[in-house]
Amino acid sequence: MGTTQLESVPEPKYWHLKNVIGEALDSDFSVGEVLPNERDLAARFGVARATLRQALEQLELEGRLQRRRGVGTTVAPPRVGVDVSTGRQAWPGAAQDAWQSFDCAKAIPPAAVARMLGTGTEDQTYALRRLRVSHGHPVAAELLYVPVASVPDLSAIDAPSGPSRARAVLRELQRLDLDGQDRSVELGSARADDAKELDRLPGAPVLVVTTRYLSQGRTAAVTVATYRADTCRLTFGDTGDVEISHPVEERRAS
């Protein structure tokens, strides 16, 4: 990255610097490369470190940079496309599924999920934890809730625990006829468990995508996927059908 004169620029210094650094990221750096430290960058551009931090923070908000603990500031990979349309329909675990399953246990789902599933407040479901990874780094964490009634042929012998049980639940879902699915998106903040999996601080901005899978006139499964807001972009397919919901209103209604 070369130097630039900022004194005569009418826009805020940090904003102009942000654009200059952004152009350099496209031409001089590769994904995952670590940027020089703040002291060297500030000296190179002839700006105060506070100005530099503002520019870097803006680039991080735009998903161009990532700050990784113990590593430093690195060039972020391209944003992951999150298809929120309902044009393409498939069960979780089907071909082209980008998620990796790593655990499965029986658990009582949150009240909002139980209502979607039509289960009782004390009824347990299979809860699968899954991750979506891009360029070797997790960008989303998902909980897939499957009522026991949706996979009646699942046995403890076939699926004792953990990843093997997750694979068995996904396999049994494929046996059902998928009648349709609907999806909603809301802004939220990362809970402690999601933040740990996504290498973010609790409370970091996230996008929460909830999908309901329908089979034989009932809800057969529900997924709640939490995406890092700085690593994803929403795509709407050909139909553009998506419901944008507000978390505050949803909490008031529950």
Side-chain angles (χ1 to χ4, degrees), residues 145-159:
Y145 297 96
V146 181
V148 175
S150 293
V151 287
D153 295 332
L154 188 69
S155 70
I157 297 176
D158 295 333

Side-chain angles (χ1 to χ4, degrees), residues 187-191 195 198-207 226-230:
L187 294 174
S189 55
R191 300 174 305 172
L198 300 177
D199 193 24
R200 304 295 284 169
L201 293 175
V206 294
L207 286 175
T226 302
Y227 285 82
R228 288 180 51 157
D230 63 329

Side-chain angles (χ1 to χ4, degrees), residues 232-252:
C232 68
R233 57 185 174 83
L234 299 181
T235 61
F236 299 92
D238 297 329
T239 60
D241 51 353
V242 60
E243 174 191 344
I244 305 296
S245 59
H246 196 290
V248 174
E249 293 176 357
E250 190 164 299
R251 282 197 296 270
R252 287 174 181 168

Side-chain angles (χ1 to χ4, degrees), residues 6 8 13 18 25 74 78 83 101 153 155 158 179-180 184 194 246:
L6 301 179
S8 60
K13 286 185 179 181
K18 185 266 294 186
L25 295 179
T74 64
D83 185 4
S101 302
D153 295 332
S155 70
D158 295 333
D179 298 336
S184 65
D194 291 328
H246 196 290

Side-chain angles (χ1 to χ4, degrees), residues 24-25 30 36-37 40 60-61 68 84 89 93 105 111 128 137-139 155 176 181 210-211 248:
L25 295 179
S30 57
N37 62 46
D40 291 343
E60 185 180 12
L61 286 173
R68 298 171 54 195
V84 293
Q89 300 183 352
L128 283 70
H137 301 291
V139 296
S155 70
L176 302 177
Q181 63 190 54
T210 303
T211 306
V248 174

Side-chain angles (χ1 to χ4, degrees), residues 1-3 35-47 49 52:
M1 288 185 285
T3 60
L35 267 63
N37 62 46
E38 289 185 358
R39 179 182 300 173
D40 291 343
L41 284 176
R44 181 176 298 184
F45 288 101
V47 298
R49 292 178 69 175
L52 175 68

Side-chain angles (χ1 to χ4, degrees), residues 30-248:
S30 57
V31 171
E33 188 170 348
V34 181
L35 267 63
N37 62 46
E38 289 185 358
R39 179 182 300 173
D40 291 343
L41 284 176
R44 181 176 298 184
F45 288 101
V47 298
R49 292 178 69 175
T51 301
L52 175 68
R53 287 195 189 102
Q54 284 183 292
L56 296 180
E57 287 170 0
Q58 187 63 40
L59 286 166
E60 185 180 12
L61 286 173
E62 294 177 3
R64 302 296 309 281
L65 296 176
Q66 291 180 347
R67 302 203 179 186
R68 298 171 54 195
R69 300 169 197 168
V71 176
T73 302
T74 64
V75 180
R79 288 179 180 262
V80 173
V82 182
D83 185 4
V84 293
S85 71
T86 55
R88 291 186 300 173
Q89 300 183 352
W91 288 110
Q96 311 303 321
D97 191 334
W99 295 87
Q100 301 174 9
S101 302
F102 65 91
D103 194 18
C104 178
K106 281 191 174 182
I108 297 174
V113 174
R115 287 196 297 270
M116 296 176 70
L117 292 171
T119 58
T121 56
E122 300 299 321
D123 291 341
Q124 290 189 327
T125 65
Y126 291 106
L128 283 70
R129 296 199 69 86
R130 308 205 299 165
L131 281 178
R132 185 170 176 180
V133 177
S134 175
H135 291 78
H137 301 291
V139 296
E142 181 188 73
L143 273 169
L144 165 62
Y145 297 96
V146 181
V148 175
S150 293
V151 287
D153 295 332
L154 188 69
S155 70
I157 297 176
D158 295 333
S161 63
S164 59
R165 180 183 289 179
R167 290 191 294 270
V169 171
L170 293 172
R171 184 181 63 244
E172 290 301 311
L173 277 179
Q174 310 303 316
R175 303 178 188 274
L176 302 177
D177 292 328
L178 179 61
D179 298 336
Q181 63 190 54
D182 56 52
R183 190 169 287 134
S184 65
V185 182
E186 62 180 300
L187 294 174
S189 55
R191 300 174 305 172
D193 51 350
D194 291 328
K196 183 177 180 180
E197 291 175 352
L198 300 177
D199 193 24
R200 304 295 284 169
L201 293 175
V206 294
L207 286 175
V208 181
V209 182
T210 303
T211 306
R212 185 167 63 111
Y213 297 88
L214 307 174
S215 178
Q216 298 179 346
R218 61 182 177 84
T219 300
V222 169
T223 62
V224 181
T226 302
Y227 285 82
R228 288 180 51 157
D230 63 329
T231 63
C232 68
R233 57 185 174 83
L234 299 181
T235 61
F236 299 92
D238 297 329
T239 60
D241 51 353
V242 60
E243 174 191 344
I244 305 296
S245 59
H246 196 290
V248 174

